[in-house]
Amino acid sequence: MPAWARSPFTTEWDIDTADRHLRNSVQLMPFQPLSFRDFMLYEKHNIDASRGYARRFMPAAYRVTQAYEALRRAPFPRFTPPRLFYRQPMYYMGNHLAFVPSGTPIGAPSYSSALDYELELGFVLAEPLLDATPAEALAAVGAFVLVNDFSARDVQKDEMDSGFGLQKAKHFASSMSPTAVTADEILPHLDRLTGSVRLNGKTVATVSSAGMQWGIGEVLAHASRSEQLLPGELFATGTLPGGCALENGAWPEPGQTLTLTLDRVGEIEHPITA
């Protein structure tokens, strides 16, 4: 068993978790993440998602921003990432215990009416890292998975503005593809992976992994600065541009089936419930 797939939990815990997952899906996850760090590596996603947030939740302000963008032929300044995005990789810590397998029915949490999906490339460590160089960090990647970071968009902004970061907007559920693909199969194609978002079988968006602000080795090296990283820890790139409803406008509705695909990596599918 590869290092990234060895569970840090007891056998009883693993069995109980598998039983719980199998009550809702016929599939299991390829491994249980030891932790989950989710980066934001795409400038285009940040701009388009910010624009989409204004369009849905702040329509009056959105009209103003559209007038500005038409006049200046440039993104509205508040839509662009913070300055830190250009100085170092940015990420938040997610809830690694809330991951569920593909096939699990998912509905909006009780406090939200804006369930969103996020199509992301995930990667798991096979070797420990501490103060690693980008080359050392890249060599420590054991496998890649497709990650879906569910979001409650209508509560997300207030939590981010609180100064404490993301909380209930993100921690209720995430999912990953049922298989993990070894790093040697994905690394040669890392910047040219393509995928799609489908609702009830209809393609509503296509995505590409091209255009990361920071490379995978760079983000892992940054995370390892004076911080011990261990095999089994999961990371993700953040949403590939176009891979969420804030950007593409295709919000999941109860009764629909959501399918996220990333070629060479995997597929995730969820029935959407009320």
Side-chain angles (χ1 to χ4, degrees):
M1 182 178 295
W4 49 265
R6 295 175 197 155
S7 174
F9 305 102
T10 65
T11 300
E12 291 77 11
W13 189 94
D14 283 337
I15 293 172
D16 287 345
T17 300
D19 285 344
R20 175 164 46 86
H21 287 167
L22 288 172
R23 292 189 205 115
N24 298 306
S25 175
V26 298
Q27 302 191 74
L28 290 173
M29 302 189 305
F31 65 97
Q32 170 61 53
L34 183 61
S35 71
F36 178 49
R37 293 171 178 82
D38 202 1
F39 286 85
M40 182 176 72
L41 298 184
Y42 292 97
E43 179 186 53
K44 179 173 173 53
H45 161 69
N46 190 95
I47 294 171
D48 290 346
S50 298
R51 189 179 288 127
Y53 182 92
R55 181 171 54 242
R56 171 153 181 172
F57 299 110
M58 306 168 66
Y62 175 69
R63 289 191 288 272
V64 174
T65 66
Q66 289 298 280
Y68 175 96
E69 292 188 337
L71 181 64
R72 296 295 185 92
R73 298 183 181 276
F76 187 69
R78 291 292 298 273
F79 293 165
T80 58
R83 293 178 181 176
L84 186 63
F85 172 86
Y86 303 98
R87 296 203 306 265
Q88 67 182 49
M90 295 172 50
Y91 67 90
Y92 75 92
M93 295 295 296
N95 183 359
H96 64 293
L97 298 178
F99 271 84
V100 296
S102 175
T104 304
I106 295 289
S110 60
Y111 46 83
S112 173
S113 59
L115 176 69
D116 199 356
Y117 46 84
E118 298 191 53
L119 192 163
E120 309 187 10
L121 177 64
F123 42 103
V124 58
L125 284 183
E127 303 291 340
L129 292 177
L130 177 65
D131 291 323
T133 66
E136 291 168 340
L138 190 62
V141 175
F144 288 84
V145 292
L146 177 57
V147 166
N148 177 23
D149 177 32
F150 279 111
S151 302
R153 295 299 193 185
D154 45 355
V155 301
Q156 181 173 337
K157 185 176 185 300
D158 286 344
E159 289 185 350
M160 294 177 70
D161 290 346
S162 73
F164 277 83
L166 295 164
Q167 303 147 49
K168 302 299 286 185
K170 294 281 189 177
H171 289 178
F172 61 96
S174 297
S175 60
M176 72 171 76
S177 50
T179 56
V181 183
T182 55
D184 61 299
E185 296 185 60
I186 301 301
L187 287 175
H189 313 282
L190 197 54
D191 61 350
R192 53 184 184 275
L193 300 170
T194 58
S196 65
V197 177
R198 301 197 302 273
L199 287 171
N200 283 353
K202 178 183 178 181
T203 299
V204 297
T206 57
V207 301
S208 168
S209 63
M212 294 183 198
Q213 176 70 20
W214 304 92
I216 298 300
E218 292 174 309
V219 303
L220 288 172
H222 172 73
S224 78
R225 291 174 60 194
S226 299
E227 182 176 346
Q228 181 69 65
L229 305 181
L230 298 173
E233 296 201 63
L234 176 65
F235 304 79
T237 57
T239 310
L240 275 59
C244 69
L246 271 184
E247 296 176 83
N248 61 46
W251 294 85
E253 299 290 343
Q256 293 182 323
T257 297
L258 168 70
T259 306
L260 306 179
T261 302
L262 194 58
D263 297 337
R264 298 180 182 271
V265 180
E267 180 176 287
I268 296 173
E269 187 167 276
H270 296 287
I272 304 301
T273 63

